[in-house]
Amino acid sequence: MGAATRYRKKFLSEHPKCAFCGGNADAKTIEHCPPRAMFQFREWPEGFEFPACENCNLGTDNEDLLVAMLARIDPFEEKGDKDGKQVGLMRAVNKQFPGLFEKMMPTASEARRQNRELGITPKDGRTHQEAGPLKVPEEFHRAVCIFARKLAKGIFYREAGFSFPNDGCLLLNWFTNADFMRDGKYTVFDLLKELSGDAPPLLRGGKFLNDQFEYKLSISPNKNVFVVQARFGNAFGFAVFGSTTPGTLETSIERLREQSQRDGPFAVLQSLTLGEARGKPSGAETSLEEIRQGCRVRQPPV
Ligand SMILES: [Zn+2]
């Protein structure tokens, strides 16, 4: 038995249940979340591996690929491709999502308008399309939803020591560096900045990785309500609001829906009563497919 096998057996004996689907399924694999490909030089943070059943581990490969590529987009410091892996990631994305890159490219007039709004003047010899932000097609929204749900559950598992329940509720608000360019800040982080929480250093071999991924967790003492604020380099960030008690967060969303006929700035990642999960029996899990169809992020594409 090799060292990797021994390590896996030991890890899974200490963590016998899947962290991502409510803690009922037996964990058979170790899942890295965030995905390893997101990190430069294959240096991902220690302690971000989780027990997962095969469905939860293997079911998100394409989304992992997309968020890994997205997280490396760095228009400010151009640190996203220090290890030269970006082209390979893009090739893999192009294979799994044919036509996606065309959808990301704004038309010349869209780019001109956007750059005017953002105050971007293309440098000499660059077109507006080359200088401005890329569009974020629906595929990214879905991928970020699936990734955020997984990461929030992983961080919850680390903190609480048990799997996030299937009847709990998770809501997401996410944003990209285009929002940062427009507003000079990430509005959601700004709104939440007074919230106390723990923002741990993320390390591998003593090396800080917070420039690629960092988060702050605010969680109630009895661990039934939490907020994860996460940021991925200079590319994107999100806040996930979670409650293990069914109905707590749903009430706010239902109020928003009544007032405005929409969900506000939230995507429903998991809920027994909201969105695609409506009417499901208690304890039923929102499937990946439901998230893929039901994830509706209310924000304009950038
Ligand atoms: Zn699972």
Side-chain angles (χ1 to χ4, degrees), residues 18 20-21 25 53 56:
C18 178
F20 302 112
C21 58
C53 69
C56 288

Side-chain angles (χ1 to χ4, degrees), residues 8-145:
R8 195 179 75 240
K9 286 207 156 158
K10 181 168 182 291
F11 183 87
L12 294 177
S13 72
E14 289 162 5
H15 302 273
K17 295 295 178 187
C18 178
F20 302 112
C21 58
N24 299 318
D26 289 336
K28 300 270 190 234
T29 64
I30 298 179
E31 168 73 320
H32 294 81
C33 188
R36 287 174 284 190
M38 184 185 280
F39 296 93
Q40 304 288 326
F41 304 105
R42 291 183 65 79
E43 292 175 331
W44 56 86
E46 289 153 3
F48 283 79
E49 41 190 34
F50 303 98
C53 69
E54 271 164 359
N55 275 346
C56 288
N57 190 334
L58 303 175
T60 62
D61 284 355
N62 285 343
E63 286 81 13
D64 287 350
L65 193 60
L66 262 195
V67 294
M69 188 188 79
L70 182 64
R72 285 163 167 259
I73 295 175
D74 180 359
F76 304 127
E77 299 176 274
E78 301 191 348
K79 290 197 302 188
D81 193 28
K82 287 196 286 191
D83 63 358
K85 290 277 163 50
Q86 183 72 315
V87 169
L89 271 174
M90 289 169 77
R91 263 197 210 112
V93 166
N94 194 39
K95 198 166 157 221
Q96 295 305 325
F97 299 90
L100 181 67
F101 288 107
E102 286 83 350
K103 285 200 246 174
M104 291 170 69
M105 190 51 79
T107 64
S109 66
E110 281 172 337
R112 250 195 318 278
R113 179 173 48 78
Q114 223 168 36
N115 290 350
R116 199 167 47 234
E117 278 171 22
L118 298 172
I120 294 172
T121 314
K123 285 188 196 126
D124 289 346
R126 282 193 155 192
T127 66
H128 274 280
Q129 279 164 301
E130 288 162 347
L134 296 166
K135 292 205 281 191
V136 181
E138 193 53 35
E139 286 85 346
F140 283 101
H141 290 299
R142 286 194 292 271
V144 171
C145 283

Side-chain angles (χ1 to χ4, degrees), residues 3 5 8 22 32 41 60 78 83 85 88 92 120 147 176 178 181-182 211 218-219 242 244 248 260 295 302:
T5 311
R8 195 179 75 240
H32 294 81
F41 304 105
T60 62
E78 301 191 348
D83 63 358
K85 290 277 163 50
I120 294 172
F147 166 57
T176 68
M181 288 183 209
R182 185 166 43 236
D211 62 331
S218 311
I219 187 162
T244 61
T248 315
S260 61
C295 175
V302 289

Side-chain angles (χ1 to χ4, degrees), residues 62-301:
N62 285 343
E63 286 81 13
D64 287 350
L65 193 60
L66 262 195
V67 294
M69 188 188 79
L70 182 64
R72 285 163 167 259
I73 295 175
D74 180 359
F76 304 127
E77 299 176 274
E78 301 191 348
K79 290 197 302 188
D81 193 28
K82 287 196 286 191
D83 63 358
K85 290 277 163 50
Q86 183 72 315
V87 169
L89 271 174
M90 289 169 77
R91 263 197 210 112
V93 166
N94 194 39
K95 198 166 157 221
Q96 295 305 325
F97 299 90
L100 181 67
F101 288 107
E102 286 83 350
K103 285 200 246 174
M104 291 170 69
M105 190 51 79
T107 64
S109 66
E110 281 172 337
R112 250 195 318 278
R113 179 173 48 78
Q114 223 168 36
N115 290 350
R116 199 167 47 234
E117 278 171 22
L118 298 172
I120 294 172
T121 314
K123 285 188 196 126
D124 289 346
R126 282 193 155 192
T127 66
H128 274 280
Q129 279 164 301
E130 288 162 347
L134 296 166
K135 292 205 281 191
V136 181
E138 193 53 35
E139 286 85 346
F140 283 101
H141 290 299
R142 286 194 292 271
V144 171
C145 283
I146 286 162
F147 166 57
R149 183 176 80 149
K150 213 164 190 177
L151 183 62
K153 287 184 172 188
I155 290 172
F156 177 86
Y157 181 84
R158 266 167 72 92
E159 179 65 24
F162 58 91
S163 308
F164 187 77
N166 281 337
D167 58 357
C169 179
L170 293 171
L171 303 174
L172 168 76
N173 178 285
W174 82 283
F175 32 84
T176 68
N177 52 33
D179 301 67
F180 189 83
M181 288 183 209
R182 185 166 43 236
D183 305 330
K185 61 185 179 191
Y186 284 124
T187 305
V188 175
F189 290 163
D190 202 50
L191 288 170
L192 296 172
K193 68 175 185 276
E194 305 295 330
L195 200 63
S196 64
D198 185 29
L202 303 181
L203 302 158
R204 167 148 300 256
K207 187 173 162 187
F208 282 92
L209 301 171
N210 289 50
D211 62 331
Q212 297 170 71
F213 161 49
E214 60 181 351
Y215 76 93
K216 177 170 150 184
L217 171 67
S218 311
I219 187 162
S220 63
N222 54 1
K223 306 197 191 303
N224 62 344
V225 188
F226 69 91
V227 181
V228 171
Q229 300 173 70
R231 176 175 170 156
F232 304 89
N234 285 318
F236 72 104
F238 58 65
V240 174
F241 300 79
S243 169
T244 61
T245 316
T248 315
L249 290 174
E250 281 91 341
T251 314
S252 333
I253 295 293
E254 274 155 10
R255 208 174 302 135
L256 268 177
R257 279 183 175 171
E258 274 165 28
Q259 287 166 358
S260 61
Q261 311 300 318
R262 41 186 274 176
D263 291 353
F266 297 107
V268 178
L269 301 184
Q270 176 175 306
S271 167
L272 279 190
T273 53
L274 293 172
E276 297 301 307
R278 191 189 298 273
K280 293 184 80 178
S282 172
E285 172 200 354
T286 309
S287 71
L288 277 180
E289 207 38 55
E290 284 170 319
I291 287 209
R292 287 188 178 108
Q293 291 161 5
C295 175
R296 291 144 305 161
V297 181
R298 303 300 187 189
Q299 59 189 17

